[in-house]
Amino acid sequence: MIRVTGLGLLAIAGLCAFSILAVPTAVSAQGYGAEQATGTKIKDIEVLGTQRIEPVTVLTYLDAKVGDAMTQDLLDGALKSLFGTGLFADVTLRQKGSTLEVTVVENPVISEIAFEGNDKLKDEDLLAEISLRPRQVFTRTKVQSDLNRLYQVYTRSGRFSAQIDPKVIELDQNRVNLVFEIDEGPVTKVKGIRFVGNEVYDDDTLRTEISTKEDRWYRFLGADDRYDPDRLSYDQELLRRFYLSQGYADFRILASNAELSKDKDAFYLTFTVEEGPRYRVGNVTIDANLRDFNEAELIPFLTFKPGDWYNADEVERTVDQFTRELGNRQFAFVDVKPSVERNREKRTVDLTFNIRETPKVFVERIDIRGNVRTLDKVIRREMDLVEGDAFNREKVAKSEQKIRDLGYFENVIVTPQPGTAPDKSVVDIEVAEKSTGELSIGAGFSTADGPLADFRIRERNFLGKGQDMLLGATIAGERTEFDFAFTEPYFLDRDFSAGVNAFHMTRDLQDESSYDQKRTGGGFEFGYPLSEKWRQSLRYRVEQNEITDVQSDASRYIQEQAGERSTSAIGQMLTYDSRNSTLFPSEGTYGWFDAEMSGLGGDSQYISGKLGASHFYPVFDTDRVVLNVLGEVGVIQGYGDESVAINERFFLGGATLRGFEPAGVGPRDVSTDDSLGGNMFYRASAELSFPIGLPDEMGIKGHAFTDFGSLWDIDDVGADVEDLDSLRGGAGVGVSWRSPIGPVRVDFAAPFMKEDFDKEENFRFSFGTRF
């Protein structure tokens, strides 16, 4: 096994691959020497050998002119100047009496640049990495530089055994084709990671704390098992943070080595560490030099207490808590700096939080980097700060989370930088874009529906403008549905969303209710913020609904619904959102109040409303175990002489009440077994999401849940209709996988509270992919 560095490997590969270009053409200044460069004045300069380049151009670059003394220094300087242009492969200077003869051999012009043998990296990607282009002058220096750059690209992608051989094909008229023959080789993965000097934590524990992972079969679509020198440095920081969070204040990394196997197909990483003793928190002091402020008021915001194990993460969390609370008390510009004093004999750490007011600092500008596709304004509009505002660290943190929640980026880093003056700051935003198109496929199974497939194409960042466009289709024996929706989240460049939608749907509800349904319609919606956490939306919907193919033995309550009816309705939704993330929340609440009224034309006349909330709570103070509690109630009532039609009623079951089929609970004609829907419902759910012992990067979580609910009340109830408001309940477990091709989830649930006429469903699954 041999030990190499990235630069050493690059240099070795470059020397081997560039051998065809490494034979230099002689560079000469023939005809002058010490005895010839006698200082004779130049009376004439003759240029020979030019083809494309005009002789006057050569004279322009030549550091010699008629009348100069023909000295050794003059001729040496002239020779260097001509070669410095990069236009010439060879230059010869000769003195013939008082005439200086300049003979040049021009570098050829590149006609084409080609890549052969590359499969994993596309031609256009490689071409974008090099500096040479067709119709540029060919020089060995530039080719060598581009060759080194190509090796860096392959090294960065984990292919350390790649071989690149540049070939030059000579053409007429002093032109050449440049061909890079590439043997990409296999991906050089990390086969082993070991630690030396660790006694408290074993190797397996420490491997989970770093970003580089050992090669495993389930990482076939990831890149964490590829060696990256930059990632190795990041891993050292992750190890340091981990030990400091566990109380090991003296922890050090003595060395970190990457060893490449002899056949260049694997890396082996070794971290040599010194853990040191573990410290507890000793004295905690708050030194706040603020006018009219008592330090004791900050004690409740300490996230730890004396006697706890020292935790650097908790110290940082306390700094954030202090800064936030002082900001709420109108101390907007404060600097909270913790100082740490170790007592190695007692193995304690004394902490002092020094708090000082700082001069006001204003945002000079906001720089955005890394957004190739997404427009700057899409990112800027998520910032709670703009140029000229007073700098606020809490607003910077909130802005970073809002940009993350867009879902357009793999990573977002917002960093304050010094500005051009002490009272100015530059906010630097660096993003790494990811694919925002989604191709999702859903599947389910029940004893009533059998299998069905759901197909949707969605682009959440259409044209890089942050617009959301959806095309959806559901194709199954029981249902066919086509949807189109388009939303502009910042209509007229204001925080005012506008969207339109259209749909056509046919559903085979013979098993549930002995009829088929056809729905065609569309609408539009507007939304705007009321405050930081409250948002209001208004909508209009028009729909043509048709109940067809009612079975002759269907319930009379279904037969009475046969035919066409139209709906014209206006609605609103009021939402409250305090979640710490809209994509992967672990804390906070999302609530909603949805109301709709029909009767502005059409056949239906009703008023409906739904009120609900979903709360996320981190268990054990960690976002790895999250409890989600949800509750919702709803009611719909007709007015005038109209009753609520079956197509407007609520149905409960399936995803809304696991353990039961869709439309599995609620009013039912027991003589025909047809589900009739209901005018009132309530439901509640509690779900605990937790890791199941597999590596976190696999994205696999377990779920334990229980659902409760009931659905009841129809306008016409006869002796053959069961319409009970009794409580139903189901419980189960599930497994979800955030796979490279999209989310996958499998649930098994069983009811433990039900009525005899309810319909059960035990197994559900869904999956999807993303492009």
Side-chain angles (χ1 to χ4, degrees), residues 360 427 596:
K360 289 187 177 182
V427 178
E596 187 174 76

Side-chain angles (χ1 to χ4, degrees), residues 148-183:
N148 292 339
R149 179 58 184 162
L150 291 175
Y151 272 113
Q152 290 177 3
V153 171
Y154 274 100
T155 298
R156 193 174 60 208
S157 64
R159 299 180 182 274
F160 283 80
S161 60
Q163 296 293 325
I164 307 174
D165 188 10
K167 296 292 182 63
V168 178
I169 302 174
E170 295 185 359
L171 306 174
D172 57 0
Q173 298 179 354
N174 201 23
R175 296 176 301 124
V176 295
N177 286 341
L178 177 59
V179 180
F180 291 96
E181 295 184 352
I182 302 173
D183 179 5

Side-chain angles (χ1 to χ4, degrees), residues 157-454:
S157 64
R159 299 180 182 274
F160 283 80
S161 60
Q163 296 293 325
I164 307 174
D165 188 10
K167 296 292 182 63
V168 178
I169 302 174
E170 295 185 359
L171 306 174
D172 57 0
Q173 298 179 354
N174 201 23
R175 296 176 301 124
V176 295
N177 286 341
L178 177 59
V179 180
F180 291 96
E181 295 184 352
I182 302 173
D183 179 5
E184 295 181 316
V187 172
T188 309
K189 296 189 176 183
V190 176
K191 295 294 185 180
I193 302 175
R194 67 189 186 99
F195 300 85
V196 177
N198 53 311
E199 298 177 357
V200 180
Y201 299 102
D202 58 23
D203 286 13
D204 289 338
T205 301
L206 297 181
R207 288 188 192 105
T208 64
E209 298 299 328
I210 62 177
S211 61
T212 303
K213 304 300 178 184
E214 292 182 333
D215 180 30
R216 294 291 184 269
W217 66 268
Y218 51 80
R219 298 191 178 106
F220 62 96
L221 288 179
D224 291 343
D225 56 355
R226 301 179 185 181
Y227 171 69
D228 186 336
D230 294 334
R231 183 182 290 151
L232 185 64
S233 300
Y234 178 55
D235 288 339
Q236 296 180 52
E237 177 64 18
L238 291 178
L239 283 175
R240 189 186 69 84
R241 291 181 183 179
F242 169 70
Y243 271 96
L244 289 178
S245 70
Q246 302 302 312
Y248 295 90
D250 293 336
F251 172 79
R252 291 191 305 158
I253 296 178
L254 302 179
S256 59
N257 299 318
E259 296 178 309
L260 182 64
S261 61
K262 291 183 179 180
D263 54 7
K264 300 181 181 180
D265 66 344
F267 269 100
Y268 296 87
L269 306 184
T270 302
F271 295 90
T272 304
V273 303
E274 182 181 288
E275 294 175 323
R278 194 179 189 188
Y279 290 80
R280 290 186 181 273
V281 176
N283 297 323
V284 180
T285 305
I286 301 174
D287 181 12
N289 187 13
L290 302 175
R291 62 189 184 282
D292 302 325
F293 183 77
N294 185 2
E295 293 92 339
E297 298 179 25
L298 290 177
I299 293 178
F301 298 95
L302 281 169
T303 63
F304 57 89
K305 60 183 182 297
D308 290 349
W309 290 114
Y310 171 72
N311 187 330
D313 291 343
E314 291 300 324
V315 174
E316 289 299 319
R317 193 171 291 116
T318 296
V319 170
D320 292 339
Q321 293 271 50
F322 284 1
T323 304
R324 185 179 299 110
E325 179 60 21
L326 290 169
N328 294 336
R329 294 171 183 255
Q330 308 307 312
F331 294 98
F333 298 92
V334 295
D335 183 25
V336 182
K337 287 186 177 180
S339 63
V340 178
E341 184 177 347
R342 299 178 182 85
N343 188 326
R344 289 184 169 83
E345 292 182 359
K346 296 181 179 180
R347 293 188 178 179
T348 59
V349 172
D350 295 334
L351 290 165
T352 301
F353 291 92
N354 300 293
I355 304 175
R356 301 290 183 270
E357 283 193 277
T358 60
K360 289 187 177 182
V361 177
F362 298 90
V363 178
E364 181 178 7
R365 68 177 189 273
I366 298 175
D367 293 338
I368 302 175
R369 296 181 291 114
N371 54 319
V372 178
R373 180 167 176 265
T374 306
L375 301 181
D376 275 11
K377 70 175 184 180
V378 174
I379 301 174
R380 287 181 179 276
R381 66 196 185 194
E382 300 300 327
M383 294 292 295
D384 289 341
L385 293 170
V386 298
E387 284 87 349
D389 283 356
F391 179 82
N392 186 299
R393 193 171 296 276
E394 184 176 355
K395 288 186 177 181
V396 170
K398 288 183 179 179
S399 300
E400 180 174 340
Q401 186 60 54
K402 289 171 65 177
I403 297 172
R404 290 180 185 275
D405 287 343
L406 289 173
Y408 306 159
F409 309 106
E410 291 282 358
N411 194 22
V412 178
I413 301 175
V414 180
T415 308
Q417 302 285 354
T420 57
D423 63 342
K424 294 181 180 180
S425 177
V426 175
V427 178
D428 182 76
I429 305 174
E430 184 175 2
V431 299
E433 291 183 319
K434 67 178 181 181
S435 298
T436 54
E438 297 177 6
L439 171 63
S440 65
I441 303 172
F445 183 85
S446 72
T447 55
D449 291 339
L452 59 85
D454 181 78

